[in-house]
Amino acid sequence: MNWIKQEGKIFWPSEDMKKKAWVSDESYYEEGKDPEKFWAKRAEELDWKEKWTKIYEQGKDPGEFKWFLGGKINASHNALDRHLKDKGDKVALMWVPEVPGEGVKLTYRQLHEKVSRFAGSLKKLGVQKGDRVSIYLPMIPEVIISMLACARIGAIHSVCFSAFSGESLKDRIVDAEAKILITADGYYRKGKPINLKESADIGAEGTNLQNVIVVQHTKTKVNFNKKDIWFHDLLEQGNPTEPEFVESNEPLFILYTSGTTGKPKGVIHDTGGYLTQAYWTTKLDFDLHDEDIFWCTADVGWVTGHTYGCYGPLSLGATLFMFEGAPNYPDEGRWWEEIEKNKITVFYTAPTAIRMFMKFGDEWPKKHNLESLRILGTVGEPINEEAWMWYLNVIGGGRCPVIDTWWQTETGGTLINSLPGIGPFIPTVAGRCFPGTHLMIVDESGSEVEKGRTGYLVQKPPFAPGMLRGVWKNPKKYFESYWKRFPGLYDSSDGAMIREDGTIRLTGRVDDVMKVAGHRLSTAELENAIDEHPLVREAAIVPKPHDIKGEVPVAFIILKDPSKGNEDLKKDIVKHVDKTIGPTARPSEIYFVDDVPKTRSGKIMRRILRGLVKGDKNLGNITTLMNPEVVEKLKEIVH
Ligand code: ATP
Ligand code: MG
């Protein structure tokens, strides 16, 4: 079945897609023009113990707003209990381990049983509503069980990515003042068991944790301390526990941002508003139906793993696929093999992964039958045209729409994207604002700019229900990061442009915009242009201060074949930039490098490169870097 049709460089849903889709006309967008009414109607598809008394309230300070005031809701009840009657025997979670072996399939009934028992044990350990529980687990079913068990008793979970160091974990445990840590003995990475407990012990040391709960996964020999308890013991002993319904605005979780632009912030999400946006964006963005099998490849350590790898699909009663391990183990075809085997219909990943697979070569996906796929999604960074087209044609067989979703840890759910039954699907263009939300592009003074001009992406009130409600223990940071630059508006810190047709193109972070001789130039635009050069694998651009021009771009370039890096190639790249963007964008310096600093989610940390070219002594927080060793190497190259 073909789900799209093509008109030049623009793609639209086919008649089949329109027929199948939950939404295929403008009615939702029309309805969304009254956001309060729109979201109130949407929230009714969730189960509320008590209905709200007021839909929305905007406080005095712009960041002080509430949704569904007085409503009583529980996220675990919505993700599990309410499906038991009709979908008790439906598979909720399909888990596949990295090392070949039996996976696990948990029905809604089975998942419910585990969650409610584990919740009982947490309660018995003294975890109360509002207490924080840190979770440091790999991609195994216990991570979902742990999150939902916290939600069940009103405790606030704070998931820390399992590949972070013990020190990063400690920062987050201390900041959140967590009472309990849930971790595992280890996890597998490329066939090898990694001892996670060692890092967890470093993280736990010197903190006020009361207990550390340990999942036995790899059966690696680990230190067992006085405060440690086995997860499986608790699961066995726990009494099934009923959900505790909380006021809609009470926190469901804290999640620290990626730290791409600075020190990670503990973003707080509420319960009812977050869940409403998670549910509806999952349902509409991915057009998720009962028979779909949804694979969101994001680690649960990121917000994408929270919203689309847990709360969204489960509150819809969908089947969720979860995979532990590396995408290229035992070989580069692993993901495609899993799609074929498990008949994945909706697949959601990141541009960095797509580019990596492009590099591995088409032969890997071509070995597999990927015809079960219906919808493809991407999130995390602006996606370049080449990668978008590759995703569409090689993975989607030219049949599946590519849904480019823009959102942030702070927004809780997607805010800009095309809907599968409406379109359009255009490479490098994310799409329109999700119905019921209003984003716009403003200039430095906060005035809306005309279509076609780049500026700051901001959100107008009423703010989307999934939006953050604070920064943990740091109201000042909350105000300064999001509400200060443009009074009354939410500042996303991203740059964007609205096109004539009302769709939005993201241009990267505003901090990543340079001003070269009076011209605004986005690093993403210049990177995309350089990426198109046939010998280039990836480029990272940062501005360097310049006496006359204000700033000039400096390029760090990774070549497909590093031995080809010479002066002639530099000249050729400059010529290519002249041709595609113009001479103003010409890099003043080009460094051929093996690697650039990246976050664990694959994003380039430009602030480190910026510091390097400026000659800063202190390059700031690097705890979330995937490859900290590259920093020293680059220092040598630059100086
Ligand atoms: P920090 O805020 O700590 O610096 P971060 O912004 O990288 O870290 P995330 O919340 O994980 O943390 O990432 C959100 C950011 O990712 C967005 O602000 C945007 O810059 C980028 N992004 C996400 N999706 C898209 C997309 N579809 N197109 C373009 N950019 C995107
Ligand atoms: Mg951010």
Side-chain angles (χ1 to χ4, degrees), residues 560-574:
K560 288 181 180 155
D561 175 358
S563 70
K564 299 227 166 98
N566 57 32
E567 290 307 309
D568 283 344
L569 180 57
K570 285 188 185 171
K571 280 186 202 141
D572 197 50
I573 289 173
V574 168

Side-chain angles (χ1 to χ4, degrees), residues 41 75 133 145 220 256 275 281 296 320 330 347 412 430 449 471 502 625 633-634:
K41 188 167 165 205
V133 174
I145 297 170
T220 308
Y256 291 85
L275 214 56
T281 51
C296 164
L320 196 59
F347 181 66
V449 305
V471 170
L625 272 188
K633 266 201 223 156
L634 290 175

Side-chain angles (χ1 to χ4, degrees), residues 347-472:
F347 181 66
Y348 190 29
T349 193
T352 172
I354 298 168
R355 288 195 295 264
M356 179 178 72
F357 284 112
M358 273 172 77
K359 198 174 76 193
F360 292 160
D362 295 8
E363 62 271 27
W364 294 103
K366 291 228 160 102
K367 279 187 201 161
H368 299 279
N369 179 350
L370 305 180
E371 272 170 25
S372 58
L373 288 173
R374 198 164 68 79
I375 290 171
L376 301 173
T378 158
V379 60
E381 288 172 274
I383 179 165
N384 52 313
E385 183 166 341
E386 198 190 352
W388 197 98
M389 292 304 295
W390 184 87
Y391 198 28
L392 171 84
N393 287 319
V394 181
I395 304 307
R399 293 171 297 111
C400 312
V402 173
I403 310 295
D404 179 1
T405 62
W406 177 89
W407 61 298
Q408 312 175 293
T409 307
E410 293 86 348
T411 70
T414 66
L415 279 182
I416 305 174
N417 57 270
S418 291
L419 297 178
I422 298 184
F425 318 115
I426 313 172
T428 76
V429 176
R432 292 152 78 176
C433 300
F434 193 86
T437 69
H438 192 151
L439 290 102
M440 58 181 195
I441 320 291
V442 298
D443 62 16
E444 251 125 66
S445 69
S447 328
E448 191 161 5
V449 305
E450 65 215 66
K451 285 186 172 160
R453 268 195 56 200
T454 305
Y456 300 82
L457 178 68
V458 297
Q459 193 184 162
K460 264 175 54 167
F463 301 107
M467 291 297 292
L468 82 165
R469 300 309 166 78
V471 170
W472 188 253

Side-chain angles (χ1 to χ4, degrees), residues 17 194 267 314 325 333 393 399 430 533 570:
M17 176 61 96
I194 310 275
V267 164
L314 294 178
N393 287 319
R399 293 171 297 111
H533 189 285
K570 285 188 185 171

Side-chain angles (χ1 to χ4, degrees), residues 7 54 81 88 176 187 209 302 305 362 392 404 412 415 420 430 435 474 476 494 547 597 617 635:
E7 270 175 22
K54 194 171 181 197
D81 305 49
Y187 61 91
L209 283 173
W302 311 123
D362 295 8
L392 171 84
D404 179 1
L415 279 182
N474 204 339
K476 188 162 161 259
D494 276 358
D547 291 344
K617 289 247 156 47
K635 266 188 197 159

Side-chain angles (χ1 to χ4, degrees), residues 133 135 143 147 157-161 172 254-256 300-301 306:
V133 174
I135 300 178
V143 74
M147 287 161 75
H157 59 71
S158 162
V159 179
C160 174
F161 183 33
R172 288 161 177 74
I254 308 173
L255 184 63
Y256 291 85
V300 70
H306 282 56

